[in-house]
């Protein structure tokens, strides 16, 4: 089982390495950035069962924070990344505390409502955010640790930094879902009442999941702010929230690899088709409808189906990896 | 309150609007016994459980567990105090594996804090050992890797019990463990419950009179939200009120 | 703010509010009965407006409105039978994705059929111009729209609360399994409800064409507000949706008169406070 | 997995990566093809506009026979989705993958301010036509040019000439779209108004894309203005006009759209609602200059309607760029920039010059007065040109472009 996990991880790294040569580095960077945000949503939606329609709140807040720090203080890269992650987490803790008091559609609409309010603040507070024009003139600081300093000026180099950040985030996320938290989150998703009855303070864990997701989303927002030297207003708009939701759904929920596949498919599709035909959303819509009607596990399921056909049938593995079991079995086998 | 009382309810009352679902129920469950609550459908048994476990707030009355008042405590506090329950409708984590269902319940009793969660789930060998012991106890060891939703109904009921046992409670509340089971599975479940007697204090809701009479130490009979009789199986069997209320209502 | 301005703002708010209520009723029924957050509700509204413009040329104003109602209701029935129904046994998130996909397809189809450039339309000559209401001048057409939507809203409400079919719908919202057990063809009820919700949205779009003009993306402009209305009113509660619709419309309109940039934001503040204070919505029971 | 396989795998990936790297994009970059990128809104809030400048740009390139200084021109477009993020991403992607050296567009001022940052960083030639003064102002740099008249000049042309004809109309009410474009034109409308003793009896700022103008129109009506001045864009203009008529404010009160698109708006308005409607615009098809006449003829033959501001601007920018390339004998961005700076020439719409210090194109601005239905000679006979002027020039002290920087 460990071997399978390792092979998967190597394949992931390989995919990340090849990506900027399959699509343009700029698009590849954006795929990785949104994959981090989608991964975060996957934690609260796929693993914990809370569909947030307001992730742009944390994405945008962190992007603005990072932009302002770099413009006004020329803050170094890693400090900005840390600050944005923190801002995302703190904002998610504050907003999440209110949102998790409600469930279902009310929860969704609360996250959406807060998103709209912060969008409005960003829109009106032009002195700080630049409003509708966006926050321009953001430098891209070099990656500097001690005496080492690497310029990230070219698209490819920046992709390198984004890709490493993504892999670190992926590893962190994997550790979270492999930890007891992962089991608890999934238990809450499956049956919140029962999770409480066995002794979990459901709201506290939901809050925790929401906060963690906010921090990851914040990190993604920081990376986004450095992409084009501008934080556009739509980085905090519900359009981004919606995109993140659809990336997770397309990729397949509750699976670690789903968000990356979803982000890649979503961005790649919209980029590739938009160059060919200006009415590209039509094709995107048709693809979505077909996926939903005929391929519901998302791309992860498509993958396993193809693999099964290639491998000559055999039982299809559960799309939902039982994360802790293999490890548990192993640890028992060890002395 | 006598020294070995583990659970006591004191005039527990619950109103849903104009309807009084539970009316001044006072129970006294002794440690190490199996205490059953019987009564016709709608007599307020499950509501009584929900009141004890904090799922529903009582309109009046109090609940004491091991001498400590627990009235209105949040449901998630009770397992930490030593009180666990099973539900009438199978209520497990369907998409988690059988093992994970039990693992989650065992782990809940430990409070490792956020830092403890940085470790991998598989690294908690004591939790793992407890979980496997409980699974063996209820006879599900062989199915531990299966998803809970793929189990047969009887196995799901057993898992339901296992999840409750996993938190090593001092008081176990079982809400109709044999409900909806085929005769074969009912026998299995009865055996399982019997095997728990003595090891755990059990408060049991059950419909099947034969089972109740054969395994209970004490029985409380409820009708229209009130306890109308209480005693040993023999005493209850001979009670006229019980016969009238119970059999009358069943007809 | 002077009296005339205040009166104008409230009237405007009532017109928009009635539209929101009309959208909200359909959305609420679909959400309550089929458990679908219908993301395509906005584009159905837009489609209604476009069919109206083409239909008016062929059949006149009333004919155009009827054409919009019928065409989009039929489309709604088709969407329900061919799409939504297939997903009845899987997680509702997939229907969200389906309706999002449909809204992309339909929006782009509008662009392909009617072109990306916006269209403006005039009210029928009979209803052009404005009347003096004493406190303020007000366009005749808007007054008529207000009355017509109010009648539609009331009729929908009475249909659901007073008729046998409405009772079936309400039973379905309460408990689908039970309704099905009672021998009701719940599937047909689903289809009819979806079609009716779509039709109401389309009619809203059709009536508003001379007021708001047409743009392929007009559905997205109104969709968030329709959802706000449903949630604020209480899921599945029709009086709630009507009350919330009017409330949202009037608040938005008054805010426009006081501080225009805050008009839309005030609606979301209202909703958020509403959910926090009254989790079950204004008139919801659950 | 053993070390050997892992190393092998990495080697394999490296080879694959290198081969992909060496493929078409680089080969193309060494070729002689000149790639011109038109970045236009095909989806999103300005989806209705996108196809129009696309036509204009195509027309200019076709007129050149798809070739300039002996090099074939490859015209590519990208959809900006009316979003700054998509515009910048796709612009950067086109620079990377297609080696685009000349970028023209987009339509929205807010998005242009994002694109100009990319142009600055990637050192590509950038031409934009729009109402924000910042492209050739606060955010100026050597690679970016603005084709539209400066909002200072434009608003003066509108206000000065309108007041000349209607000296008694001193009460103005403003509708302003709340973004870069709206603020720029509002500032200069007020500035120009001062010289004529105009009293601004009210002003409302609304987000672009506002669909419910009734509240604003009621407010405006209550203020009893002589002029309702629209400083908004796109559908907002049309919705405002329609509401003004519904509420009976127009045509009693004149509507002045100071920065309008002309033809396309007129086509969407009923002739009756065009009564007493005044439009200031960067391009009107009735412009009486050789370049304009020829272009209008070509366009009308192809699309059965005269061009409005959008196609004319795209055509004008592309044409001027191509001529600058010919003048420089090079298509390198730096050379095009140098060729344009300080150039005085005849083009669309007529005599024009490019200010070397700010990269503002100094050219004529139009004020139109719409005709009444019974005055129209044919369906496209929308308006009389009341004034054409490139004066007054913006005083240097007002321009915030203090240092245009280096190449």
């Amino acid at each position: 089982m460990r071997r399978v996990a390792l092979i998967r991880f190597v394949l992931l790294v390989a995919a990340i390495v090849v990506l900027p040569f399959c699509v343009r580095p700029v698009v590849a960077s954006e795929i990785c950035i949104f994959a981090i945000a989608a991964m975060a949503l996957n934690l609260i939606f796929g693993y914990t069962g809370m569909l947030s329609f307001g992730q742009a709140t944390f994405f945008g807040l962190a992007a603005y924070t990072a932009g302002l720090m770099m413009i006004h203080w020329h803050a170094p890269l890693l400090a900005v990344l840390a600050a944005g992650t923190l801002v995302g987490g703190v904002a998610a803790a504050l907003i999440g505390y209110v949102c998790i008091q409600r469930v279902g559609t009310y929860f969704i609409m609360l996250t959406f409502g807060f998103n709209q309010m912060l969008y409005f603040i960003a829109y009106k507070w032009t002195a700080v955010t630049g409003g509708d024009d966006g926050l321009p003139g953001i430098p891209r600081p070099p990656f500097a640790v001690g005496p080492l300093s690497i310029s990230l000026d070219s698209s490819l180099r920046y992709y390198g930094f984004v890709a490493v950040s993504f892999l670190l985030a992926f590893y962190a996320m994997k550790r979270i879902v492999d930890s007891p938290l992962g089991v608890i989150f999934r238990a809450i998703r499956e049956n919140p009442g029962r999770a409480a009855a066995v002794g979990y303070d459901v709201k506290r864990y939901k809050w925790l999941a929401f906060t963690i997701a906010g921090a990851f989303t914040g990190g993604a927002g920081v990376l986004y702010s450095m992409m084009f030297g501008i934080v556009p207003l739509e980085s905090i708009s519900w359009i981004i929230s919606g995109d993140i939701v659809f990336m997770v759904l397309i990729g397949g929920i509750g699976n670690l690899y789903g968000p990356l596949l979803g982000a890649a498919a979503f961005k790649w599709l919209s980029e590739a088709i938009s160059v060919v035909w200006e009415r590209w959303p039509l094709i995107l819509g048709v693809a979505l409808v077909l996926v939903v009607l005929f391929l519901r596990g998302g791309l992860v399921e498509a993958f396993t189906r193809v693999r099964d056909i290639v491998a000559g049938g055999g039982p299809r593995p559960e799309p939902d990896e039982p994360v802790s079991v293999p490890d548990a079995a192993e640890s028992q086998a060890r002395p | 309150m006598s020294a070995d009382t583990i659970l006591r309810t004191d005039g527990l009352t619950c109103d849903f609007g104009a309807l009084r679902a539970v009316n001044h129920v006072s129970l006294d469950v002794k440690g190490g016994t199996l205490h059953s609550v019987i009564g016709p459908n709608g007599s307020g048994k499950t509501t009584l459980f929900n009141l004890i476990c904090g799922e529903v707030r009582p309109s009046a009355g109090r609940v004491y567990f091991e001498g400590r008042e627990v009235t209105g405590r949040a449901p998630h506090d009770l397992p930490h105090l030593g009180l666990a329950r099973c539900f009438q409708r199978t209520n497990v984590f369907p998409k988690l594996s059988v093992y994970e269902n039990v693992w989650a319940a065992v782990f809940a009793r430990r409070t490792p804090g956020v830092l403890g969660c940085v470790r991998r789930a598989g690294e908690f060998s004591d939790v793992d050992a407890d979980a496997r012991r409980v699974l063996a106890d209820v006879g599900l060891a062989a199915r531990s890797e299966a998803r809970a939703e793929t189990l047969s109904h009887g196995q799901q009921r057993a898992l339901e019990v296992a999840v409750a046992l996993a938190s090593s409670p001092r008081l176990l509340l079982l809400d109709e463990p044999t409900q909806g089971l085929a005769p074969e599975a009912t026998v299995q479940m009865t055996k399982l419950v019997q095997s728990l007697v003595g090891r755990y204090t059990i408060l049991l809701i059950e419909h099947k009179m034969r089972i109740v009479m054969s395994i209970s130490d004490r029985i409380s009979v409820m009708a229209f939200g009130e306890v109308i009789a209480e005693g040993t199986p023999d005493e209850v069997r001979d009670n006229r009120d019980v016969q009238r209320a119970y059999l009358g209502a069943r007809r | 703010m002077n009296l005339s301005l205040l009166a104008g703002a409230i009237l405007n708010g009532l017109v928009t509010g009635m539209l929101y209520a009309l959208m909200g009723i359909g959305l609420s029924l679909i959400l309550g009965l089929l458990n679908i957050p219908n993301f395509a509700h906005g584009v159905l509204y837009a489609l209604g407006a476009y069919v109206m413009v083409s239909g008016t040329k062929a059949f006149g104003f009333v004919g155009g409105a009827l054409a919009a109602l019928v065409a989009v209701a039929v489309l709604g029935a088709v969407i329900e039978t061919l799409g939504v129904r297939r997903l009845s046994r899987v997680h509702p998130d997939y229907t969200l994705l389906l309706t999002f996909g449909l809204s992309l397809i339909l929006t782009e189809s509008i662009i392909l059929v009617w072109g990306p450039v916006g269209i403006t339309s005039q009210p029928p000559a009979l209803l052009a111009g404005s009347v003096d209401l004493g406190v303020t001048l007000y366009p005749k057409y808007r007054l008529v729209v207000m009355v017509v939507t109010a009648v539609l809203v009331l009729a929908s409400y009475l249909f659901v609360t007073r008729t046998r079919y409405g009772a079936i719908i309400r039973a379905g919202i309460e408990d689908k399994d039970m309704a099905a057990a009672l021998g009701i063809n719940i599937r047909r009820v689903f289809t009819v409800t979806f079609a009716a919700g779509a039709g109401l949205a389309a009619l809203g779009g059709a009536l508003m064409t001379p007021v708001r003009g047409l743009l392929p993306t007009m559905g997205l402009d109104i969709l968030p507000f329709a959802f706000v209305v449903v949630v604020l009113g209480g899921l599945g509660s029709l009086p709630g949706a009507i009350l919330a619709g009017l409330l949202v419309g009037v608040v938005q309109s008054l805010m426009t008169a006081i501080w225009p940039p805050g008009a839309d934001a005030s609606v979301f503040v209202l909703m958020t406070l509403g959910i926090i204070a009254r989790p079950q919505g204004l008139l919801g029971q659950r | 997995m053993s070390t050997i396989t892992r190393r092998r795998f990495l080697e394999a990936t490296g080879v694959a990566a290198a081969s992909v790297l060496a493929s078409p994009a680089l080969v193309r970059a060494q070729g002689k093809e000149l790639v011109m990128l038109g970045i236009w809104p095909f989806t999103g809030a300005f989806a209705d506009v996108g196809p129009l400048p696309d036509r204009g740009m195509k027309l200019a390139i076709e007129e050149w026979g798809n070739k300039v200084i002996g090099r074939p021109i490859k015209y590519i477009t990208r959809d900006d989705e009316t979003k700054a993020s998509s515009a910048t991403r796709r612009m950067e992607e086109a620079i990377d993958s297609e080696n685009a050296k000349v970028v023209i567009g987009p339509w929205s001022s807010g998005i242009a301010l994002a694109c100009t940052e990319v142009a600055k960083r990637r050192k590509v030639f950038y031409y934009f036509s729009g109402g924000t003064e910042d492209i050739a102002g606060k955010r100026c740099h050597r690679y970016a040019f603005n084709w539209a008249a400066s909002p200072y000049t434009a608003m003066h042309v509108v206000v000065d000439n309108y007041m000349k004809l209607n000296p008694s109309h001193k009460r103005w009410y403003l509708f302003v779209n709340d973004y870069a474009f709206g603020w720029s034109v509002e500032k200069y409308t007020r500035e120009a108004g001062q010289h004529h003793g105009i009293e601004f009896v009210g002003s409302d700022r609304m987000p672009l894309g506002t669909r419910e103008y009734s509240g604003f129109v009621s407010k405006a009506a209550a203020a009893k203005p002589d002029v309702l001045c629209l400083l908004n864009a796109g559908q907002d203009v049309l919705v405002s006009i329609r509401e003004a008529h519904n509420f009976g404010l127009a045509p009693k009160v004149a509507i002045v759209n100071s920065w309008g698109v002309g033809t396309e708006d007129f086509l969407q308005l009923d002739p009756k609602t065009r009564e007493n409607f005044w439009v200031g615009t960067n391009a009107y098809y009735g412009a009486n200059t050789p370049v304009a006449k020829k272009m209008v003829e070509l366009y009308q033959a192809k699309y059965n309607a005269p061009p409005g501001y959008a196609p004319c601007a795209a055509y004008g920018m592309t044409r001027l760029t191509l001529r600058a390339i010919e003048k420089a004998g090079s298509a390198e961005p730096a050379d095009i920039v140098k060729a344009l700076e300080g150039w005085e020439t005849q083009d669309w719409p007529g005599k024009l010059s490019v200010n070397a210090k700010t990269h503002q194109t100094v050219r004529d601005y139009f004020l139109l007065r719409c005709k009444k239905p019974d005055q129209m000679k044919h369906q496209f006979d929308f308006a009389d040109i009341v004034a054409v002027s490139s004066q007054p020039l913006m005083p240097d002290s007002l321009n915030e472009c203090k240092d245009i920087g280096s190449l």
Side-chain angles (χ1 to χ4, degrees), chain C residues 195-271:
Chain C
L200 285 181
L203 207 49
L207 291 173
M208 291 303 268
T209 46
V211 178
R212 292 194 151 193
L214 294 92
L215 208 60
T217 51
M218 63 193 283
L220 273 188
D221 298 333
I222 201 166
L223 187 67
F225 296 108
F227 271 108
V228 166
V229 162
V230 170
V231 168
L232 189 62
L235 296 182
S237 162
L238 291 197
I242 297 168
L243 182 66
L246 293 176
L247 187 65
V248 166
V250 170
V251 165
Q252 203 178 14
S253 179
L254 284 175
M255 239 359 230
T256 305
I258 300 163
W259 189 50
D264 288 1
S266 65
V267 171
F268 293 102
V269 173
L270 181 72
M271 176 195 74

Side-chain angles (χ1 to χ4, degrees), chain B residues 163-219:
Chain B
V163 169
L165 290 180
S167 51
S168 345
R170 290 185 295 284
L171 174 67
L172 187 60
L173 284 77
L174 300 178
D175 194 350
E176 289 202 53
T178 66
Q179 203 234 4
L181 290 186
E184 176 78 1
T186 305
V187 174
Q188 295 261 331
M189 178 54 75
T190 312
K191 275 189 190 151
L192 174 59
V193 174
Q194 260 169 334
S195 76
L196 302 175
V197 173
R199 288 197 281 158
Y200 300 91
T201 307
I202 299 173
L203 183 61
L204 172 75
I205 295 180
E206 186 51 75
H207 256 136
K208 300 201 170 77
M209 290 299 273
R210 211 155 40 83
I211 301 173
V212 175
M213 291 301 167
S214 65
I215 62 177
S216 304
D217 295 309
R218 265 190 105 68
I219 297 176

Side-chain angles (χ1 to χ4, degrees), chain D residues 49 94 107 122 142 153 173 193 205-206 212 216 222-223 237 243 259 270 303 315 372 387:
Chain D
V49 181
W107 182 246
R122 302 302 301 269
R142 268 311 264 289
T153 305
Y173 197 99
R205 285 187 170 191
M206 57 288 281
E212 189 53 86
F216 303 120
V237 176
E243 285 305 331
W259 188 281
D270 193 274
Y303 300 109
Y315 174 84
K372 286 186 180 157

Side-chain angles (χ1 to χ4, degrees), chain A residues 45 51 53 98 101-102 104-114 116-117 120 123-124 238-239 242-243 245-247 249-250 252-253 266 277-298 301, chain C residues 31 39 82-84 86-87 90-91 93-98 100-102 104-106 108-109 111-112 116 220 223-224 227-228 230-235 259 261-263 265 268-273 275-281 284 286:
Chain A
F45 177 34
L51 175 53
F53 214 88
V98 179
Q101 307 298 328
R102 304 280 172 258
T105 310
Y106 293 111
F107 172 84
I108 299 175
M109 291 306 279
L110 274 179
T111 55
F112 176 65
F114 278 110
Q116 289 288 50
M117 286 182 222
F120 174 73
Y123 174 71
K124 278 318 288 179
W238 69 276
I239 307 265
D243 284 355
V245 169
F246 294 116
M247 285 174 198
L249 283 170
I250 293 170
I253 56 173
F266 192 88
W277 193 31
E278 60 205 34
R279 299 269 63 86
W280 59 274
L282 182 66
I283 297 175
L284 188 68
V286 171
L288 267 176
V289 169
L290 291 180
V291 166
V292 169
L293 289 180
F294 304 108
L295 206 71
R296 267 187 293 282
E301 190 186 297
Chain C
L31 189 65
F39 217 87
L82 297 185
V84 172
R86 296 178 57 114
L87 299 176
V90 299
H91 200 268
D93 294 335
Y94 290 110
T95 47
L96 181 71
L97 204 56
L98 175 80
F100 176 73
L102 283 173
L104 284 180
I105 294 174
L106 291 175
E108 291 302 313
S109 304
I111 296 179
L112 289 176
L220 273 188
L223 187 67
F227 271 108
V228 166
V230 170
V231 168
L232 189 62
L235 296 182
W259 189 50
F268 293 102
V269 173
L270 181 72
M271 176 195 74
T272 306
L273 293 178
I275 299 178
I276 294 169
R278 262 188 84 81
Q280 70 278 45
R286 285 168 294 168

Side-chain angles (χ1 to χ4, degrees), chain A residues 2 171 174-176 178-181 183-184 186-202 204-205 208 318-329 331-332 334, chain B residues 55 75-77 79-80 83-87 91-97 99-100 103-105 107-109 114 116-124 128 132 144-145 147 160-161 163-164 167:
Chain A
R2 274 225 182 271
Y171 180 74
K174 182 159 169 49
R175 285 305 297 259
I176 290 170
D178 281 356
S179 80
L181 278 181
V183 184
I184 297 167
R186 284 187 294 136
I188 289 172
R189 172 194 72 194
E190 288 298 307
N191 193 338
R194 189 53 156 142
V198 301
Y200 291 112
D201 185 343
V202 170
R204 216 182 106 212
Y205 283 99
L208 182 63
E318 313 289 351
D320 215 346
E321 318 169 46
V323 183
S324 73
V325 174
D327 289 346
S331 68
Q332 210 195 22
R334 280 200 299 266
Chain B
E55 309 254 350
H76 62 252
D77 283 340
H80 299 282
L83 195 149
R85 75 174 296 190
C86 290
F87 290 82
N91 195 1
V92 291
F93 307 114
K95 288 201 167 57
L96 264 54
S97 73
Y99 171 84
E100 284 173 318
W103 192 96
F107 188 80
R109 283 286 310 274
V114 174
C117 282
V118 172
R119 289 163 66 194
R120 287 202 166 85
E123 289 168 14
F124 294 84
D128 174 65
R132 288 184 189 280
S144 61
E145 305 302 311
R147 274 212 225 188
E160 178 77 38
V161 175
V163 169
S167 51

